[in-house]
Amino acid sequence: MSTTLPPFKCGLVALIGPPNAGKSTFLNKCLGRKVAIVSPLPQTTRNRITGILSEKDAQVIFVDTPGIHKPRGKMNRAMVHSAWQSLESADVVGIIIDADLYARHPDFFANDTASLHGATTDATRPVFIIANKVDLLGDKSRLLPLLEAADSTWPGAEIFPVSSASGEGLPQLLAAIKNALPESPPLFPEDMLSTLPLRFMAAEIIREKLFLFLRQELPYSTAVDIEAWEEDAKSGHVTIHAVIYVAKSTHKAMVIGHAGRNIKQVGQSARKEIMELLGRKAHLQLWVKIKENWADDHAFLHSLEPATGMPGW
Ligand SMILES: Nc1nc2c(ncn2[C@@H]2O[C@H](COP(=O)(O)OP(=O)(O)OP(=O)(O)O)[C@@H](O)[C@H]2O)c(=O)[nH]1
Ligand SMILES: [Mg+2]
């Protein structure tokens, strides 16, 4: 007796939502590896970040995006634009919201999600509402008003309460996502974690450490560019020269810190993680340069855009 295997599924899942909802944390947890940087501050993610989950029966190509908000300034407008762009090629849409936030402040929900209604107007595309951070809710019945609000905002969408911190609810959601994907052979090799270049991922790791070690507002006025990437043919060691751009000389002093303390912390912690990513020894040289108004410089912003490695992007 012959048994036929279910058809292989493969497709793109766009992860969109308000800033700080946990989109990048969700992606990392689904993959079991870190591809997207995370911070407690909103507007951490600035580009579309792909993460590929390859399993026996399916390949899920997640696209993490910058949080959707009312943008001010060129960079923020470009961030929100790139989040919307991810929808164009998506087979499935995952709208991630912070369930704990809206359980505490139900009045924030309508305003935060107003611009996300458009994401579900294409009735042919499955939409999943991912109510994240449920680990923070002591009493799960506190979810009920949010579930009702989400149901009337996105009628017909399935709602999944999950925790990207503990993993609660993720297996059920992943099964539903896989089921909703089109039949297709895998688009990428099964050992490929992301389509993003390693140089970009290294720059992102440095940016994450700036969020971690610098004072609240400062990371927003920094950008990171990898100027040189040298590999020693004999030892395999990598030397990375990275520039941290700041908008003002006072910011430069703050990034460097007293006796170079901040930049040292950023460098040590980034280097450790870059070595884990590359699986080999790396040296990291960090420079801080002033570039006034870089966040409004279209050509400069464009130069920081990674080559996504995705056809049609
Ligand atoms: N307790 C808890 N915290 C979470 C969970 N998911 C994310 N967080 C935290 O929420 C904060 C924001 O997470 P991110 O993954 O950076 O959020 P994001 O939606 O990608 O944010 P932007 O890129 O800024 O739009 C971080 O401090 C995370 O650790 C969760 O399920 N539970
Ligand atoms: Mg993010």
Side-chain angles (χ1 to χ4, degrees):
M1 209 172 70
S2 72
T3 48
T4 37
L5 287 171
F8 198 87
K9 302 281 194 90
C10 175
L12 246 77
V13 180
L15 302 174
I16 61 167
N20 214 42
K23 300 175 293 298
S24 301
T25 310
F26 172 82
L27 172 63
N28 294 338
K29 189 74 177 180
C30 288
L31 298 182
R33 291 268 309 270
K34 180 167 160 183
V35 291
I37 64 166
V38 166
S39 97
L41 299 178
Q43 294 164 44
T44 305
T45 305
R46 288 184 185 162
N47 306 85
R48 279 171 290 168
I49 308 290
T50 52
I52 305 168
L53 176 69
S54 291
E55 297 198 333
K56 270 199 316 286
D57 51 347
Q59 184 172 69
V60 189
I61 305 153
F62 288 108
V63 186
D64 179 23
T65 63
I68 290 179
H69 61 287
K70 289 198 188 79
R72 269 186 295 155
K74 269 208 178 81
M75 180 173 72
N76 283 285
R77 275 200 295 276
M79 281 162 56
V80 172
H81 178 69
S82 92
W84 284 120
Q85 265 183 324
S86 72
L87 286 181
E88 282 170 20
S89 36
D91 298 297
V92 170
V93 180
I95 299 180
I96 305 197
I97 53 177
D98 182 336
D100 173 57
L101 176 69
Y102 303 126
R104 285 183 290 115
H105 302 281
D107 47 319
F108 290 179
F109 176 81
N111 189 39
D112 286 4
T113 57
S115 55
L116 290 165
H117 295 191
T120 55
T121 48
D122 179 354
T124 60
R125 201 158 46 180
V127 176
F128 296 100
I129 309 302
I130 306 168
N132 190 31
K133 308 196 189 183
V134 297
D135 57 292
L136 297 175
L137 294 164
D139 172 6
K140 292 278 155 60
S141 69
R142 289 176 59 220
L143 260 178
L144 294 175
L146 171 65
L147 298 184
E148 275 170 28
D151 192 46
S152 56
T153 306
W154 298 288
E158 253 189 282
I159 308 174
F160 287 82
V162 308
S163 163
S164 302
S166 71
E168 178 185 347
L170 291 187
Q172 295 86 333
L173 170 59
L174 275 172
I177 287 177
K178 286 201 272 186
N179 194 32
L181 289 178
E183 282 179 27
S184 157
L187 294 177
F188 296 101
E190 65 176 337
D191 59 352
M192 195 164 162
L193 190 62
S194 175
T195 61
L196 290 168
L198 288 172
R199 282 173 88 105
F200 174 81
M201 292 175 89
E204 285 288 273
I205 291 171
I206 298 166
R207 224 161 53 70
E208 184 187 68
K209 304 312 169 197
L210 293 169
F211 270 96
L212 191 67
F213 291 111
L214 299 182
R215 294 255 301 278
Q216 295 271 321
E217 290 305 314
L218 197 52
Y220 293 112
S221 41
T222 61
V224 176
D225 191 28
I226 306 293
E227 283 214 320
W229 181 290
E230 294 151 7
E231 297 194 17
D232 186 278
K234 221 160 143 202
S235 64
H237 296 181
V238 183
T239 304
I240 300 166
H241 298 262
V243 179
I244 300 167
Y245 285 100
V246 294
K248 295 180 189 162
S249 56
T250 48
H251 289 174
K252 179 170 174 171
M254 286 154 86
V255 170
I256 292 170
H258 181 64
R261 203 167 136 235
N262 290 350
I263 191 101
K264 203 166 157 194
Q265 273 185 317
V266 168
Q268 281 174 346
S269 145
R271 174 171 177 253
K272 193 164 162 268
E273 210 170 302
I274 289 170
M275 290 205 291
E276 277 167 29
L277 172 74
L278 302 179
R280 52 186 151 149
K281 200 154 175 174
H283 306 283
L284 183 59
Q285 305 277 356
L286 290 179
W287 313 91
V288 186
K289 288 189 187 167
I290 301 163
K291 190 171 180 69
E292 280 174 29
N293 300 324
W294 66 261
D296 284 316
D297 181 337
H298 185 76
F300 176 72
L301 292 176
H302 193 65
S303 75
L304 297 177
E305 280 280 315
T308 60
M310 296 283 288
W313 274 25

